[in-house]
Amino acid sequence: MGMRKAVNGHSARIFSDRKWILPFFASILISITLFTAVLHGLYSSSYYIGDDQLHYDLINPDSGFHESSSSGYFVESDIWKSFNSSSSDSKDVAPRFAYLISGTKGDSQRMMRTLQAVYHPRNQYVLHMDLEAPARERLNLTMLVKNDPTFREVENVRVMAQSNLVTYKGPTMVACTLQAIAILLKESSDWDWFINLSASDYPLVTQDDLLYVFSNLSRNLNFIEHEYIRGWKLTQRAKPIMVDPGLYLSKKSNLALTTQRRSLPTSFKLFTGSAWVMLTRSFVEYCILGWDNLPRTILMYYANFISSPEGYFHTVICNNDEFKKTAISHDLHYIAWDNPPKQHPLSLTMKEFDKMVNSSAPFARKFPKNDPVLDKIDKELLGRKDRFSNGAWCIGNGEGGLDPCSERGDDSVFRPGLGAERLQKLMNQLLSDDFNKLQCQTPT
C-alpha cells in the first residue's frame, strides 16, 4: 500500500494484484490499434497550413504504393524494390532528408529555432507538438510556419494536425514517430533518410555540410546506436510489464508498473540503444508496411516495455537479415552524460562547446532554452545571421539587411565548410571494418 517505484527517473505506481489486470489488458487491446493508427496516418494524414485543415489523398505513383496492373499488388516486392533501387547508390542525385521535430508545452519557439537551423529546400519536415501543449501554443506554431514566406513557397514544412499524448519513455513516443514517418512517406517519396529531433536538439553542421557528405555515402546505411540488451536493462526494462497511460487517458501521467513480470521472447532477440536515429526510407517503409509481420509483432511487444523508443527500431533492424547488415551503431549526436551515467543527459552550455566540435557529430542535445551556446553555434558553426543556416541555395546579396535566403538558387548545389570536413572524418571512422564488426552483435 502506498508503495512507489522509479521508472527511469519518473515515479511509477505499483498496482496491487487485483488492480493490475484491467489496465494491463486494456493496454494490450489498445496496443493492437497502434499499428492501425500508423496506417491511418499513411493513408489519411492531415496537417495544418494556417487555419485550414487540409486533407491529401494523392499518392505519388513512383512511391511504390500503387497497384501494378501487370504483376498485382505485393507489398513485399515493393519494399525490396525500394531497398534494391537505393542500393544502386545513384550518387549523381543529391540526397534528401526527412525530419521529425517534436516538442511539448513551452517548446514552440525552440522548435522553430531548430527547424530554421536545419532547414534546406531539398528536405521534408514534419513538426509535432504533443497534446500537453495548450491549443493556443499549437496554433501559434502553425501560424509561424504559415507566415514564413520560404515555407509557404517551397511547401516542405508541415505541422501535424493531430496532437498525440506522448509519454516520456513510453510506446506513445514510438507510435507518434511512426505516424510522422507515414505522413512523410505519403506526402513525398522523394527522400532518402529519416531523422528525428526534439526541441532540445540543435545542429553542429550546416545542411550543406550534411548533404554534401551524405552525397558520397551508400543510401542503404542506417545510423542507429544499438547493443544486445543485457545486465540491468534486461531485468529492469525487458521483464517488467509497463502500462503507458497515454494510450487511454487524455492527460499526461507517468508510466505505471504492474507487479507481474514476463519471460523474454524466443522468436526474436532484444536490442537497445539511443532513441535518436537516422534511418533509410526503405527501412522505415518496412516498419510501416512490414509484410512479414515482424515490425507489427515487435510493436505490440514494446507496447508494454519500459523505454520503448530505445528499443523498437533497434530490435526490428537487428532481427531482419537484410537490414541488419546496414546498421551503423552511432546516433550522430553529441550527448554529455554524468559519471556514473544516469538516464538523463547533462544540459550543454559554453563549457561543452569544444567537446561538441571535436566530436564531429552533426547534432547535439540537450540544450537549455535560449542558452548563449546556441548563439555561438549559430555564429561559428552554422554561419546563421538571419532565419536559416548558411547555404549555397541562398543567393540574395543581403544588401540593406535583407535576408539572403529570400532568393533561392539551385538546391542541389552545396557549399561545404569545416563542418563537412569534421563529419567526413566521423564517417570514415564509422564505416571502417573494425567498427562494422559491431553490427547487431549477440552473445556467442
Side-chain angles (χ1 to χ4, degrees):
M1 301 292 295
M3 185 176 179
R4 302 276 177 177
K5 279 190 179 181
V7 180
N8 299 325
H10 296 270
S11 62
R13 181 155 45 96
I14 303 296
F15 288 98
S16 69
D17 288 341
R18 291 184 178 182
K19 294 182 179 180
W20 73 271
I21 298 176
L22 181 58
F24 170 59
F25 282 102
S27 67
I28 290 292
L29 178 61
I30 297 173
S31 68
I32 296 175
T33 66
L34 282 175
F35 193 79
T36 304
V38 171
L39 289 181
H40 181 267
L42 177 60
Y43 292 108
S44 60
S45 62
S46 58
Y47 55 88
Y48 282 121
I49 298 296
D51 298 326
D52 298 326
Q53 185 176 358
L54 306 180
H55 297 268
Y56 283 77
D57 296 314
L58 299 178
I59 299 178
N60 188 327
D62 297 324
S63 65
F65 294 119
H66 62 289
E67 182 173 358
S68 171
S69 59
S70 59
S71 60
Y73 182 67
F74 295 98
V75 174
E76 58 268 37
S77 62
D78 286 337
I79 292 174
W80 294 119
K81 181 198 287 187
S82 174
F83 179 79
N84 292 329
S85 64
S86 60
S87 67
S88 63
D89 295 334
S90 54
K91 296 175 183 175
D92 54 325
V93 178
R96 299 175 188 267
F97 303 123
Y99 283 88
L100 164 64
I101 301 175
S102 56
T104 186
K105 181 179 179 180
D107 281 342
S108 59
Q109 295 295 329
R110 286 208 294 175
M111 291 174 68
M112 279 300 297
R113 181 168 186 167
T114 298
L115 169 63
Q116 291 172 337
V118 298
Y119 183 77
H120 195 282
R122 292 191 64 79
N123 300 335
Q124 296 290 324
Y125 301 87
V126 164
L127 279 62
H128 176 262
M129 176 162 280
D130 75 16
L131 202 56
E132 187 177 38
R136 181 180 296 275
E137 186 177 13
R138 299 199 302 271
L139 179 60
N140 177 62
L141 178 65
T142 300
M143 296 305 295
L144 288 173
V145 171
K146 175 189 175 182
N147 293 333
D148 187 286
T150 302
F151 299 161
R152 188 166 58 245
E153 180 182 356
V154 182
E155 297 183 332
N156 62 340
V157 180
R158 301 171 179 87
V159 178
M160 287 176 61
Q162 179 182 348
S163 291
N164 302 293
L165 193 63
V166 177
T167 307
Y168 179 68
K169 297 279 188 178
T172 42
M173 288 187 68
V174 178
C176 184
T177 301
L178 290 172
Q179 183 185 16
I181 291 171
I183 292 172
L184 286 164
L185 287 171
K186 178 189 174 184
E187 300 302 337
S188 174
S189 64
D190 191 18
W191 51 268
D192 302 281
W193 280 281
F194 166 78
I195 302 171
N196 64 331
L197 300 176
S198 74
S200 61
D201 289 64
Y202 212 67
L204 303 177
V205 300
T206 67
Q207 288 301 287
D208 273 22
D209 292 332
L210 195 64
L211 288 161
Y212 176 80
V213 172
F214 275 78
S215 295
N216 298 308
L217 295 184
S218 167
R219 306 291 166 89
N220 286 336
L221 297 176
N222 288 280
F223 295 87
I224 178 169
E225 182 186 86
H226 61 274
E227 63 178 353
Y228 183 76
I229 193 167
R230 65 186 79 196
W232 69 269
K233 290 184 179 181
L234 191 66
T235 56
Q236 296 184 23
R237 293 186 179 180
K239 293 184 178 180
I241 298 176
M242 176 275 300
V243 177
D244 185 346
L247 292 171
Y248 55 89
L249 297 181
S250 59
K251 292 185 178 181
K252 185 177 290 189
S253 59
N254 297 325
L255 300 178
L257 285 176
T258 73
T259 58
Q260 305 301 305
R261 296 174 72 83
R262 58 182 171 181
S263 300
L264 297 177
T266 57
S267 61
F268 53 88
K269 297 177 181 179
L270 298 178
F271 288 80
T272 187
S274 172
W276 311 105
V277 295
M278 183 174 184
L279 303 174
T280 62
R281 190 188 73 242
S282 56
F283 175 64
V284 296
E285 281 179 345
Y286 170 68
C287 291
I288 297 295
L289 299 177
W291 60 269
D292 64 356
N293 211 38
L294 177 67
R296 282 183 287 274
T297 300
I298 294 176
L299 180 63
M300 293 177 66
Y301 176 83
Y302 275 95
N304 298 106
F305 192 96
I306 299 171
S307 296
S308 301
E310 298 177 5
Y312 172 70
F313 290 112
H314 317 68
T315 298
V316 173
I317 201 168
C318 285
N319 283 274
N320 180 283
D321 289 337
E322 294 295 330
F323 284 114
K324 71 180 180 181
K325 303 172 186 176
T326 70
I328 306 298
S329 190
H330 198 286
D331 63 3
L332 303 182
H333 274 66
Y334 172 82
I335 303 175
W337 302 94
D338 53 4
N339 191 18
K342 296 182 180 179
Q343 291 301 300
H344 298 283
L346 299 175
S347 294
L348 301 178
T349 57
M350 284 288 194
K351 65 180 181 180
E352 295 286 338
F353 181 80
D354 290 339
K355 293 180 181 179
M356 287 185 244
V357 175
N358 293 334
S359 74
S360 299
F363 304 100
R365 73 180 318 271
K366 62 180 184 175
F367 292 95
K369 290 183 180 180
N370 300 320
D371 193 272
V373 72
L374 296 174
D375 297 329
K376 186 176 179 68
I377 291 172
D378 281 344
K379 180 180 179 181
E380 298 187 17
L381 302 183
L382 304 181
R384 183 172 175 232
K385 299 178 181 179
D386 295 287
R387 291 176 300 158
F388 305 122
S389 300
N390 182 43
W393 64 275
C394 301
I395 60 173
N397 56 28
E399 293 181 357
L402 295 176
D403 180 6
C405 297
S406 60
E407 294 184 45
R408 291 190 297 115
D410 187 347
D411 64 19
S412 64
V413 176
F414 310 127
R415 187 187 300 125
L418 294 178
E421 295 181 14
R422 297 194 304 269
L423 183 57
Q424 187 61 61
K425 291 179 181 178
L426 176 62
M427 291 298 111
N428 292 341
Q429 176 189 347
L430 297 182
L431 299 178
S432 66
D433 291 337
D434 290 339
F435 199 91
N436 284 337
K437 292 178 181 178
L438 303 176
Q439 290 174 313
C440 295
Q441 279 191 334
T442 57
T444 56

